[in-house]
């Protein structure tokens, strides 16, 4: 949506005086100054002069900003006590919402350091309307993209002194607030380019290399648009270098989709998938009449994480759904952490759900039961190292998750797979499979834990996006570099193993220390599994890691030149970088604030201000892949919740319910009774009869109930078969603990049989839930028609 052009104003900020400021010591009063930062108007932070040795400083200085009233303009004022030796001491910090000002009026404010009001800063504001600005803003009501200008800069030698040594090098060119920042310009090379917001009064600053001497400063607004301007650089007694400057309109089309609706590709898929679902429902429910399009319910499979256990179990349960003829009734399948490994494997085949899953399951079983020692062989380590170098050279940021991704790929495959997320679009062309959605969490790398702040990120073959902001990019562009919604540098699409590394980097916590503290491969595997004996539960690993030993291990030294620090997050270029916030973003109905923190009320601390995303396994918060299914635009009627946790069969689902309650998202109450908690069954139904907007949840915890005595639904085990029904799912001592990367053939077969059985043994409940989903869809349509 484009906003109308009026809204340009001139903000005048007059910093008057302060009184009662504390002293940095008993004898010396403060040396005070005030900084002003308004990033929607300028990249530059302004500051007053310093008033020395004064508890009641007077500045009386005025600063002016050109702003757009459709943006959330928050002026940050900070008072500092200047210190020439140590870092300046902050005295007061305040955010002032410029949107509270009225055009044509002056407003005087006193900001206090504490409730007693003994220390005060006095500031006067004045807002003046400006002639209509030609700038076009594009917004979804939360984020705003502004117009960009591009500046081309080229350097050439001139005059009779072309061999002068002073001109052999280049110069440093800087455009503050541009995407590129500072760049080196050398003679005889192609022009360099800067991109910066058109509305900012930016300027080009040129300095000699390796010096702080500024030889040129050019305001960009002084350059005629679309014309080449030549400027000489006075580096010697006579000009030796000439700069060619060309300022013109930057790219207009956004590469980031700003909107809260589903993308057109997903709408097309759903229309095709409904035909498949309608046919399957008619068959399994034995319906006489064809379902109308608006009567077809949206059914989703929601799988949790859990390492190899989750991957294996998902194969078993999908096989069960296939056997019952129910897989074609599913429109979405979401996964997190280990379950994404199964999804990524299956979607390599465009027709996987239309085939017998025995073949893919056998291939997965072979990988689960193989020895993992060879993945740390010197030849393999060298290959990882080379690919990480190439990836860094392409422009991807280095982080430990990239190494984990390659190791994880070796755990699950014999050879590297050249598969990409966008390749999975082939599996959706005819609606022949459910749409896969993979989940991750974007959080803050420093200061805040995931329980204090986090943002759900969804990955589909069509798009990658953060629904909270209504911002999405095509899946093939994820990882490329963006600014203000425009594509700045396209990078080759990552192999999907690097995305799997992001989706499942919970496991990289142990892996990271194991690599750094192990000298040989067998020591690595010993360290990886050393907590198995004493670990009572599956604890989420801490993000605070030990420092590596002073002498690097033989394994770790392969990567010390690539990994200079040890972050757990998957660092990716931020496709929201540079975007601004709409003035009413916080009141937007689709903007989902994180209830545990006030950070969402301070747009300058949110994701668009960050150059990189900080992506984590969702297991650091809630082990679920449910959030994408709760978007109102997807209208999911029935969720088949496949839970692979060994501890607490309802714990993660209860956390989802609590999260939804906090976020005011329609979701059924998760209230298992005491008997179910003590002895959970294979399937539990949760519904909210008062809300048609809340999906029904059919919850399948990982339990060994009637499977102990039955080899198939209704078929009791013979005495010699009872051992096959004993599956150890305890939280301690289980062969399926999340850090286990190798299963015995017996354990793999038991888990596959158990999970397949648990689905098939609940055929009647599944059919009943599908029948009720059709009725709920009809009832919802009926109520919608009455309204």
């Amino acid at each position: 949506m484009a906003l109308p052009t009026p809204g340009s104003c001139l903000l005048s900020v007059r910093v008057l005086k302060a009184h009662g400021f504390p002293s940095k010591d008993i004898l010396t009063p403060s040396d005070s100054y005030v900084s002003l930062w308004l990033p929607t108007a300028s990249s530059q932070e302004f500051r007053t002069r310093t008033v020395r040795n004064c508890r009641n400083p007077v500045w009386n200085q005025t600063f002016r900003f050109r702003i757009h009233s459709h943006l959330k303009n928050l002026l940050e004022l900070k008072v500092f006590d200047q210190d020439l030796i140590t870092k300046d001491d902050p005295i007061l910090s305040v955010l002032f919402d410029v949107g509270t000002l009225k055009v044509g009026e002056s407003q005087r404010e006193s900001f206090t350091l504490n409730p007693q009001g003994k220390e005060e800063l006095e500031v006067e504001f004045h807002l003046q309307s400006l002639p209509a600005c030609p700038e076009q803003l594009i917004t979804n009501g939360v984020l705003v993209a502004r117009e960009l200008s591009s500046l081309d800069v080229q350097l050439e030698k001139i005059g009779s002194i072309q061999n002068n040594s002073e001109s052999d090098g280049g110069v440093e060119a800087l455009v503050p607030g541009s995407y590129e920042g500072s760049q080196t310009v050398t003679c005889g090379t192609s022009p360099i380019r800067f991109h910066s917001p058109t509305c900012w009064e930016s300027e080009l600053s040129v300095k000699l290399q390796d010096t702080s001497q500024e030889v040129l400063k050019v305001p960009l607004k002084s350059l005629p648009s679309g014309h080449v301007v030549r400027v000489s650089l006075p580096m010697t007694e006579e000009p030796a270098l000439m700069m060619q400057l060309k300022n013109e309109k930057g790219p207009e089309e956004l590469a980031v989709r700003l909107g809260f609706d589903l993308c057109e590709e997903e709408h097309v898929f759903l229309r095709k998938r409904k035909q498949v679902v309608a046919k399957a429902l008619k068959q399994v429910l034995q319906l006489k009449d064809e379902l109308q399009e608006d009567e077809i319910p949206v059914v989703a499979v929601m799988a949790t994480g859990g390492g190899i256990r989750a991957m294996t179990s998902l194969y078993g349960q999908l096989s069960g759904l296939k056997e019952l003829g129910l897989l074609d009734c599913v429109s979405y399948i979401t996964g997190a952490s280990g379950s994404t490994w199964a999804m990524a494997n299956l979607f390599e085949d465009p027709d996987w759900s239309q085939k017998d899953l025995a073949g893919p399951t056998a291939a997965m079983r072979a990988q689960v039961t193989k020895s993992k020692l060879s993945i740390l062989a010197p030849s393999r380590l060298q290959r990882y190292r080379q690919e990480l170098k190439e990836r860094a050279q392409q422009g991807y940021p280095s982080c430990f998750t990239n190494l984990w991704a390659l190791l994880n790929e070796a755990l699950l495959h014999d050879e590297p797979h050249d598969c990409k997320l966008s390749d999975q679009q082939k599996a959706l062309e005819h609606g022949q499979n459910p749409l896969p959605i993979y989940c991750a969490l974007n959080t803050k790398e420093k200061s805040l834990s995931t329980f204090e702040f986090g943002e759900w990120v969804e990955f589909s073959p069509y798009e990658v996006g953060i629904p909270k902001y209504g911002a999405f990019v095509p899946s093939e562009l994820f990882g490329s570099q963006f600014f203000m919604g425009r594509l700045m540098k396209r990078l080759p699409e990552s192999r999907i193993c690097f995305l799997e590394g992001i989706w499942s980097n919970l496991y990289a916590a142990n892996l990271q220390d194991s690599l750094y503290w192990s000298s040989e491969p067998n020591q690595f595997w010993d360290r990886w599994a050393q907590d198995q004996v004493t670990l009572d539960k599956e604890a989420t690993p801490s993000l605070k890691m030990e420092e590596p030993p002073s002498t690097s291990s033989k394994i770790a030294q392969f990567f010390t030149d690539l990994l200079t620090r040890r972050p757990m997050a998957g660092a990716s270029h931020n496709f929201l970088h540079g975007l601004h916030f709409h003035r009413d973003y916080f009141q937007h109905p689709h903007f989902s604030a994180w209830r545990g923190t006030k950070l969402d009320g301070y747009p300058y601390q949110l994701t668009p201000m960050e150059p990189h995303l900080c992506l984590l396994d969702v297991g650091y918060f809630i082990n679920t892949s449910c959030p994408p299914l709760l978007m109102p635009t997807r209208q999911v009627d029935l969720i088949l919740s496949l839970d692979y946790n060994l501890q607490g069969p309802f714990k993660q689902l209860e956390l989802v319910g609590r999260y939804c309650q906090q976020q005011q998202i329609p979701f059924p109450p998760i209230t298992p009774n005491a008997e179910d908690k003590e002895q959970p069954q294979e399937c539990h139904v949760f519904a909210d009869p008062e809300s048609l907007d809340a999906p029904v949840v059919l919850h399948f915890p990982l339990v060994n109930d009637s499977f102990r005595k039955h080899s198939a639904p209704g078929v009791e085990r013979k005495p010699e078969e009872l051992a096959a029904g004993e599956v150890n799912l305890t939280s301690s001592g289980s062969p399926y603990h999340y850090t286990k990367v190798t299963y015995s053939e017996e354990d793999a077969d038991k888990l596959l049989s158990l999970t397949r059985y648990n689905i098939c043994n609940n055929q009647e409940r599944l059919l009943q839930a599908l029948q009720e989903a059709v009725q709920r869809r009809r009832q919802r349509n009926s109520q919608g028609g009455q309204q």
Side-chain angles (χ1 to χ4, degrees):
M1 177 179 68
L3 291 176
T5 54
S8 185
C9 298
L10 181 65
L11 170 67
S12 298
V13 182
R14 188 180 177 193
V15 182
L16 298 171
K17 59 183 179 180
H19 62 81
F21 276 3
S23 304
K24 55 186 175 182
D25 55 53
I26 298 176
L27 301 177
T28 309
S30 300
D31 300 333
S32 305
Y33 67 88
V34 182
S35 69
L36 303 90
W37 188 47
L38 185 55
T40 52
S42 174
S43 64
Q44 184 178 353
E45 184 175 292
F46 299 92
R47 57 176 288 181
T48 66
R49 64 181 181 277
T50 300
V51 178
R52 301 193 178 279
N53 298 325
C54 184
R55 290 188 175 90
N56 303 299
V58 176
W59 294 282
N60 201 24
Q61 287 183 254
T62 299
F63 301 86
R64 293 178 174 84
F65 304 90
R66 183 169 186 155
I67 65 171
H68 203 296
S69 61
H70 289 297
L71 303 179
K72 187 66 172 179
N73 298 295
L74 292 178
L75 174 66
E76 184 178 70
L77 295 161
K78 289 185 178 180
V79 184
F80 289 92
D81 182 2
Q82 190 176 38
D83 196 310
L84 299 179
I85 300 177
T86 61
K87 189 176 180 180
D88 294 348
D89 300 315
I91 299 176
L92 182 147
S93 178
V94 65
L95 280 176
F96 179 75
D97 189 349
V98 178
T100 61
L101 300 175
K102 295 182 179 180
V103 176
E105 296 182 6
S106 296
Q107 183 172 318
R108 190 161 178 163
E109 295 284 343
S110 294
F111 303 106
T112 59
L113 180 61
N114 54 55
Q116 288 74 30
K118 294 182 179 180
E119 300 90 7
E120 286 189 341
L121 171 67
E122 294 188 23
V123 183
E124 185 177 83
F125 302 94
H126 182 76
L127 196 62
Q128 176 184 348
S129 180
L130 293 176
C133 177
E135 181 184 15
Q136 286 287 336
L137 306 183
I138 301 174
T139 183
N140 60 3
V142 172
L143 295 178
V144 179
R146 311 188 71 171
E147 290 184 356
L148 288 183
S149 293
S150 65
L151 174 68
D152 288 344
V153 180
Q154 191 168 20
L155 191 65
E156 62 178 14
K157 296 179 182 180
I158 60 173
S160 59
I161 53 171
Q162 294 193 6
N163 294 325
N164 190 302
S165 61
E166 189 178 13
S167 63
D168 286 343
V171 296
E172 293 294 328
L174 168 68
V175 177
S178 67
Y179 171 75
E180 295 78 7
S182 176
Q183 298 186 79
T184 300
V185 195
T186 56
C187 296
T189 60
S190 300
I192 62 170
R193 178 166 292 183
F194 293 94
H195 295 89
S196 59
T198 304
C199 58
W200 290 359
E201 296 185 352
S202 303
E203 59 184 11
L204 170 69
S205 175
V206 180
K207 297 181 181 180
L208 301 180
Q209 270 191 314
D210 303 322
T211 72
S212 59
Q213 180 183 352
E214 187 175 79
V215 296
L216 181 67
K217 182 172 287 189
V218 180
L220 300 192
K221 66 178 182 181
S222 66
L223 301 175
S225 180
H227 296 276
V228 175
V229 175
R230 303 180 81 231
V231 181
S232 60
L233 300 183
M235 298 176 61
T236 58
E237 293 182 358
E238 57 180 283
L241 293 177
M242 177 73 73
M243 261 190 172
Q244 290 190 17
L245 308 176
K246 185 179 181 181
N247 191 35
E248 57 187 355
K249 199 169 187 177
E252 296 185 25
E253 185 176 355
L254 297 188
V256 176
R257 181 175 72 86
L258 295 181
F260 292 92
D261 193 9
L262 304 179
C263 66
E264 180 58 29
E265 293 85 352
E266 187 169 339
H267 279 298
V268 171
F269 161 80
L270 287 173
R271 288 194 290 269
K272 295 178 180 178
R273 185 63 180 174
K274 280 185 176 182
Q275 300 175 16
V276 177
V277 172
K279 182 179 178 180
L281 285 174
K282 183 179 181 181
Q283 182 174 348
V284 298
L285 297 180
Q286 300 180 356
L287 301 175
K288 294 182 180 180
D289 300 321
E290 300 285 345
L291 289 172
Q292 300 300 312
E293 184 175 355
D294 60 356
E295 295 177 322
I296 303 170
V298 178
V299 181
V301 167
M302 186 281 292
T304 70
I308 298 293
R309 178 181 70 243
M311 179 179 72
T312 307
S313 298
L314 184 53
Y315 270 92
Q317 289 173 314
L318 291 177
S319 297
L321 291 172
K322 176 68 176 177
E323 182 177 331
L324 298 179
L326 301 181
L327 194 50
D328 279 347
C329 300
V330 176
S331 294
Y332 291 100
I333 177 170
T334 63
S337 201
S339 61
T340 65
W341 305 341
M343 293 166 59
N345 285 348
L346 290 169
F347 276 88
E348 287 186 25
D349 182 351
D351 298 303
W352 70 269
S353 70
Q354 305 304 308
K355 300 178 180 178
D356 188 341
L357 295 185
T361 301
M364 178 277 302
R365 179 183 178 277
Q367 296 300 319
V368 167
T369 57
K370 74 179 182 181
S371 170
K372 306 301 189 299
L373 193 61
S374 63
I375 75 166
L376 292 176
S379 60
R380 289 266 188 124
L381 292 174
Q382 188 61 43
R383 191 176 72 191
Y384 306 151
R385 186 173 183 270
Q386 181 61 34
E387 184 164 0
L388 291 177
K389 277 189 173 181
E390 293 173 357
R391 186 171 172 82
Q393 291 168 356
Q394 289 172 346
Y396 282 98
S398 296
C399 64
F400 187 85
T401 295
N402 289 339
L403 174 57
W404 155 245
L406 294 176
L407 291 168
N408 185 58
E409 181 183 46
L411 290 173
L412 305 177
H413 303 282
D414 292 328
E415 298 294 335
H417 277 214
D418 191 25
C419 301
K420 302 175 179 64
L421 181 58
S422 64
D423 294 339
Q424 296 182 7
Q425 294 177 18
K426 298 175 184 176
L428 308 172
E429 285 179 340
H430 312 294
Q432 68 269 40
N433 299 295
L435 173 66
I437 302 177
Y438 309 83
C439 296
L441 200 69
N442 180 56
T443 186
K444 291 289 184 181
E445 188 174 7
K446 300 177 181 178
S447 303
L448 295 177
S449 74
T450 53
F451 284 95
E452 295 174 298
F453 180 81
E455 298 165 342
W456 293 99
V457 184
E458 61 177 55
F459 296 73
S460 85
Y462 298 129
E463 289 187 321
V464 178
I466 306 181
K468 165 182 174 176
Y469 299 112
F472 303 84
V473 292
S475 56
E476 61 268 22
L477 294 184
F478 176 73
S480 294
Q481 299 177 20
F482 294 81
F483 181 63
M484 197 61 80
R486 279 81 169 185
L487 180 63
M488 293 289 104
K489 180 180 180 182
R490 180 166 185 164
L491 303 185
E493 184 179 358
S494 293
R495 297 195 296 117
I496 200 169
C497 75
F498 290 104
L499 300 184
E500 292 179 282
I502 291 173
W503 303 330
S504 61
N505 63 12
L506 182 72
Y507 307 95
N510 287 3
L511 176 75
Q512 194 172 25
D513 274 340
S514 299
L515 282 174
Y516 270 95
W517 290 92
S518 303
S519 295
E520 302 295 343
N522 62 329
Q523 293 178 353
F524 162 76
W525 292 115
D526 288 343
R527 184 169 182 85
W528 170 272
Q530 69 178 354
D531 295 332
Q532 305 300 302
V533 177
T534 58
L535 196 61
D536 293 329
K537 62 180 181 178
E538 295 197 313
T540 299
S542 170
L543 288 175
K544 295 181 179 179
M545 308 290 292
E546 297 177 346
E547 287 301 313
S550 55
T551 302
S552 298
S553 70
K554 292 182 180 179
I555 296 176
Q557 67 186 8
F558 275 89
F559 309 101
T560 52
D561 59 334
L562 299 175
L563 307 172
T564 58
R565 58 193 182 98
R566 310 179 68 212
M568 284 303 306
S572 301
H573 294 298
N574 180 12
F575 57 87
L576 302 185
H577 183 46
L579 290 168
H580 291 162
F581 279 87
H582 188 273
R583 64 186 176 192
D584 300 321
Y585 81 96
F586 203 73
Q587 285 73 43
H588 194 282
H590 291 298
F591 182 77
S592 178
W594 201 260
R595 302 300 187 199
T597 177
K598 296 180 180 179
L599 197 64
D600 282 304
Y602 300 91
Y604 302 159
Q605 298 184 46
L606 294 180
T607 302
M609 295 296 292
E610 306 287 348
H612 296 98
L613 299 175
C614 182
L615 298 176
L616 294 177
D617 187 316
V618 299
Y620 283 111
F621 179 60
I622 303 177
N623 187 12
T624 184
S625 61
C626 201
L629 304 177
L630 303 178
M631 289 179 60
T633 48
R634 292 201 166 104
Q635 298 184 349
V636 174
D637 299 282
L638 175 63
I639 295 176
L640 308 184
S641 169
L642 310 181
D643 192 323
Y644 307 129
N645 291 280
L646 291 184
Q647 188 184 38
F650 305 101
K651 180 180 179 181
Q652 298 304 314
L653 195 61
E654 287 175 320
L655 289 174
V656 173
R658 192 181 311 163
Y659 168 80
C660 290
Q661 187 177 23
Q662 292 174 343
Q663 301 293 331
Q664 299 178 343
I665 298 172
F667 198 74
I670 307 301
T671 54
N673 57 42
E675 183 180 351
D676 286 339
K677 285 190 173 183
E678 181 68 25
Q679 188 63 43
Q681 299 177 1
E682 298 156 352
C683 181
H684 302 262
V685 181
F686 299 100
D688 185 355
E690 303 298 324
S691 174
L692 290 176
D693 292 328
V696 173
V697 176
L698 221 59
H699 185 60
F700 290 84
L702 188 60
V703 297
N704 187 5
D705 189 16
S706 62
F707 181 73
R708 295 178 186 274
K709 298 181 180 180
H710 297 80
S711 58
V715 181
E716 291 193 11
R717 293 185 183 277
K718 299 175 182 179
E720 62 270 21
E721 297 175 333
L722 291 176
E726 295 301 320
V727 185
N728 182 358
L729 298 176
T730 58
S731 59
S732 60
S734 172
Y736 308 113
H737 191 276
Y738 84 96
T739 57
K740 289 286 188 179
V741 294
T742 303
Y743 290 174
S744 69
E745 293 185 355
E746 179 184 3
D747 289 331
D749 290 339
K750 281 185 176 181
L751 188 56
L752 283 168
S753 298
L754 169 67
T755 50
R756 180 174 181 150
Y757 171 89
N758 283 355
I759 291 291
C760 292
N761 196 44
N762 287 276
Q763 180 179 13
E764 292 304 317
R765 281 196 174 185
L766 284 161
L767 292 176
Q768 182 182 354
L770 288 170
Q771 182 68 59
E772 291 175 355
V774 173
Q775 297 300 326
R776 284 169 58 89
R777 173 65 66 162
R778 288 171 174 166
Q779 187 178 356
R780 179 189 290 180
N781 294 336
S782 174
Q783 289 189 358
Q786 293 175 1
Q787 292 175 357

